[in-house]
Amino acid sequence: MDVVRRGGRSRLAVLGAVAVLALAPALVSCSNDNGGKSGATVSPSPSATVPTDPVAAKAQITKNWTAFFDPKTPVAEKVKLLENGEQMQPVLGAFAGDKNAAMTSAKVTGIEFTSATGANVTYDLLVGGTPALTGSQGTSVFQNDTWKVSVKTLCGLVELSGVTVQGC
C-alpha cells in the first residue's frame, strides 16, 4: 500500500484512526429484537419536525458530539453520549486507550432536524487536529432526554472501513 503524505500525516494513519473508531462497535452486536433497528427511547412527538427549542438542541448536539469524539472524555461519559451506550460500554473502554483513537476527534459543521427526536449531523473527523474526513454525515437521536451520537453513525464508520458487522 502506498503511503500518501498530507500535512505531515500519512493517509495510512488517518485510515487507521478511522478503523479504530469504526471497528469498536464490531466487537458487540448492534442488533436487537427490533430487527436490527435501534432501540432508542425517544420522547414522543411524531408530528413535530423540529424540537421545541431547536437552538438549545443544536447546542447540545454539538457539545455532545464533540465530547463523544474527544479522546480525553472518560468512557463513563461517552456511554451517556452514545445511543444505547450501556450496550457499547465494553467496546468504548477497549478502544479508549488506543493510540490512534487518542488522536481522533470530531467537529460538528452542520445540523438538520429530521424530526423532534432526530437530526442529521455533518462533521469533520480530525486526526491530531487536522481534518482527515471532511463533510462526514451522521445522525443524532434524542434518547432519555439527551441528544446522543447514534449507533447508526458508528455502524456507518464500520461500513466505511469495509467491515461487515451483524446488525449494522
Side-chain angles (χ1 to χ4, degrees):
M1 170 184 263
D2 292 326
V3 176
V4 178
R5 301 271 176 202
R6 183 175 183 202
R9 304 207 185 276
S10 72
R11 181 166 184 186
L12 188 57
V14 169
L15 292 175
V18 170
V20 166
L21 286 174
L23 295 177
L27 300 176
V28 297
S29 174
C30 294
S31 66
N32 58 29
D33 293 336
N34 296 330
K37 303 288 187 237
S38 166
T41 303
V42 294
S43 301
S45 185
S47 62
T49 57
V50 297
T52 305
D53 187 347
V55 173
K58 283 184 178 185
Q60 187 181 75
I61 291 169
T62 300
K63 177 182 173 235
N64 291 352
W65 271 61
T66 301
F68 179 79
F69 286 103
D70 184 340
K72 296 176 187 167
T73 301
V75 172
E77 186 63 25
K78 288 184 182 203
V79 166
K80 297 175 188 175
L81 301 175
L82 177 63
E83 176 188 20
N84 302 327
E86 289 296 324
Q87 295 171 359
M88 302 297 282
Q89 187 171 4
V91 176
L92 291 172
F95 83 72
D98 184 89
K99 67 180 182 175
N100 288 323
M103 298 182 342
T104 305
S105 60
K107 178 183 177 186
V108 174
T109 59
I111 298 168
E112 181 181 330
F113 293 105
T114 56
S115 70
T117 59
N120 290 328
V121 179
T122 304
Y123 65 100
D124 295 340
L125 194 62
L126 311 172
V127 177
T130 302
L133 294 173
T134 58
S136 298
Q137 297 291 312
T139 56
S140 187
V141 296
F142 192 66
Q143 181 182 52
N144 301 326
D145 297 323
T146 302
W147 283 98
K148 300 181 179 189
V149 174
S150 70
V151 169
K152 178 181 175 182
T153 297
L154 288 179
C155 286
L157 290 172
V158 169
E159 184 179 316
L160 179 65
S161 73
V163 176
T164 302
V165 178
Q166 181 181 355
C168 281

